[in-house]
């Protein structure tokens, strides 16, 4: 007999340990993780028959990311979501993400065991999730990416030592991300092109008093914010291309940083731009 393999994701250690012990006692193989990052890593590396995920780990809706990744990677797996607030919008969203069932905390172990056995014995036909390209997601979620970037920058004492308003701080981002989106839509063999927006940004930051080290840190935060946006949209992302897109993102952001840094190494005379 094949032992069903369960991925249990819950950031509450007491709940996680209790469920793991109970499910293992009932004949399941259980892999228990405390958060989204570990859950995604396991989903990518191992095959599971069942997902049992808390909805909030610790942020509201973190379970959505795990459900989406499991549905895309292992569409046959039974996906169950634990929530203390089953009638909130988050819970309804879990249904839209095609979780098989939303379970109300605290859950009775006997009921949970029965439900899992029934779902495994009578699997529903997997329903394909609509997917979008990384470029489309970044285009649609531009405002969220910028807001996330700004929040990270505000936590950086070095960057905030130069006082700037929101527009002056973030005004370059739409153009840089637009260049990135365009790059993602080009053939994979396309090399990074010169970004006029990145060069202009370097000139501006130099005049505002940014050091080279601050430019590097600002660029690093941009990559983090872009990847945060992708993680928040794993239920929609086209997994068949995501790894190549991640490589392209890193290459393009680094190329843009290089263009911006030219302002710090090239002599400037009068005009902000070199003569043609």
């Amino acid at each position: 007999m094949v032992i069903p393999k369960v991925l249990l994701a819950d950031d509450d250690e007491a709940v996680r340990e209790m469920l793991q012990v109970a499910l293992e006692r009932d004949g399941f193989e259980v892999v228990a993780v405390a958060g989204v990052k570990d859950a995604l890593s396991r989903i990518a590396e191992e095959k599971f028959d069942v997902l049992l995920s808390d909805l909030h780990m610790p942020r509201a809706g973190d379970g959505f990311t795990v459900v989406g990744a499991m549905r895309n990677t292992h569409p046959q797996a039974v996906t169950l979501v634990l929530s203390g607030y089953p009638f909130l919008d988050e819970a309804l969203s879990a249904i839209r993400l095609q979780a098989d069932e939303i379970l109300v905390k605290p859950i009775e172990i006997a009921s949970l065991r029965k439900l899992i056995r029934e779902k495994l014995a009578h699997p529903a036909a997997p329903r394909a999730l609509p997917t979008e390209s990384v470029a489309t997601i970044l285009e649609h979620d531009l405002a969220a990416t910028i807001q996330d970037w700004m929040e990270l920058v505000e936590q950086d004492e070095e960057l905030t030592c130069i006082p700037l308003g929101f527009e002056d701080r973030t005004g370059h981002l739409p153009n840089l991300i637009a260049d990135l989106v365009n790059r993602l839509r080009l053939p994979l063999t396309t090399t990074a092109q010169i970004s006029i927006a990145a060069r202009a940004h370097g000139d501006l930051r130099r005049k505002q008093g940014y050091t080279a080290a601050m430019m590097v840190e600002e660029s690093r935060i941009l990559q983090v914010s872009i990847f945060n946006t992708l993680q928040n949209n794993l239920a929609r992302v086209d997994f068949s291309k995501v790894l190549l897109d991640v490589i392209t993102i890193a290459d393009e952001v680094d190329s843009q940083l290089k263009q911006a840094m030219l302002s710090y190494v090239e002599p400037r005379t009068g005009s902000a731009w070199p003569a043609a």
Side-chain angles (χ1 to χ4, degrees):
M1 179 182 296
V2 177
I3 299 176
K5 188 173 181 179
V6 179
L7 176 61
L8 169 61
D10 199 309
D11 63 341
D12 187 318
E13 184 177 0
V15 172
R16 190 172 65 250
E17 290 182 353
M18 181 270 293
L19 289 173
Q20 181 174 8
V21 169
L23 291 172
E24 288 177 342
R25 185 181 60 233
D26 291 329
F28 296 98
E29 178 185 352
V30 180
V31 174
V33 297
V36 174
K37 182 178 179 180
D38 289 338
L40 297 181
S41 176
R42 292 285 191 159
I43 289 171
E45 296 171 357
E46 304 174 42
K47 187 177 188 305
F48 292 95
D49 302 294
V50 180
L51 168 67
L52 180 59
S53 176
D54 188 21
L55 186 58
H56 306 296
M57 292 187 298
R59 297 182 304 177
D62 276 348
F64 297 163
T65 300
V66 181
V67 170
M70 184 65 83
R71 274 301 190 206
N72 278 284
T73 308
H74 307 294
Q76 300 286 351
V78 174
T79 56
L80 307 175
V81 174
L82 293 170
S83 174
Y85 307 95
F87 301 113
L88 294 181
D89 288 341
E90 291 95 334
L92 296 176
S93 295
I95 294 175
R96 289 194 289 270
L97 284 173
Q98 301 184 40
D100 290 308
E101 198 85 28
I102 299 173
L103 309 176
V104 183
K105 287 184 174 181
I107 183 69
E108 293 183 359
I109 297 301
S111 299
L112 176 61
R113 178 179 64 247
K114 180 180 178 182
L115 177 63
I116 292 176
R117 296 289 186 190
E118 288 178 349
K119 294 288 186 182
L120 290 172
H122 305 285
R127 294 164 291 175
L129 287 171
T131 60
E132 294 181 333
S133 69
V134 167
T136 299
I137 290 172
L138 293 179
E139 197 169 48
H140 288 173
D141 285 23
L142 174 63
T145 303
I146 292 174
Q147 184 60 44
D148 183 67
W149 181 89
M150 186 64 179
E151 290 174 1
L152 293 174
V153 166
E154 289 176 338
Q155 298 171 21
D156 191 298
E157 293 182 0
E158 182 182 17
L159 294 179
T160 53
C161 73
I162 296 180
L164 294 173
F166 183 86
E167 183 59 36
D168 288 334
R169 186 83 70 183
T170 65
H172 67 292
L173 290 175
N175 290 332
L176 293 188
I177 294 175
D179 284 349
L180 170 60
V181 168
N182 290 335
R183 170 81 184 280
L184 286 166
R185 288 179 171 149
L186 293 173
L188 290 176
T189 55
T190 304
T191 57
Q193 302 297 309
I194 293 175
S195 170
I196 296 176
R199 188 63 183 269
H201 174 59
D203 284 339
L204 177 62
R205 284 296 193 246
R206 182 178 58 84
K207 293 174 182 177
Q208 290 172 331
Y210 272 56
T211 65
M214 292 167 71
M215 292 294 293
V216 172
E217 178 64 8
E218 192 178 65
S219 179
R220 183 193 68 81
I221 293 175
L222 177 57
Q223 285 203 52
V224 171
S225 298
I226 290 170
F227 293 140
N228 282 344
T229 295
L230 296 184
Q231 178 169 318
N232 291 335
N233 288 277
L234 282 182
R236 294 192 287 147
V237 73
D238 182 353
F239 272 79
S240 67
K241 299 179 180 178
V242 70
L243 292 179
L244 292 175
D245 285 340
V246 165
I247 294 172
T248 300
I249 289 169
D251 185 62
E252 177 64 24
V253 173
D254 286 346
S255 175
Q256 291 180 1
L257 174 60
K258 177 181 177 181
Q259 295 301 315
M261 292 300 294
L262 290 176
S263 298
Y264 289 77
V265 298
E266 289 187 356
R268 294 290 177 177
T269 57
S271 172
W273 293 93

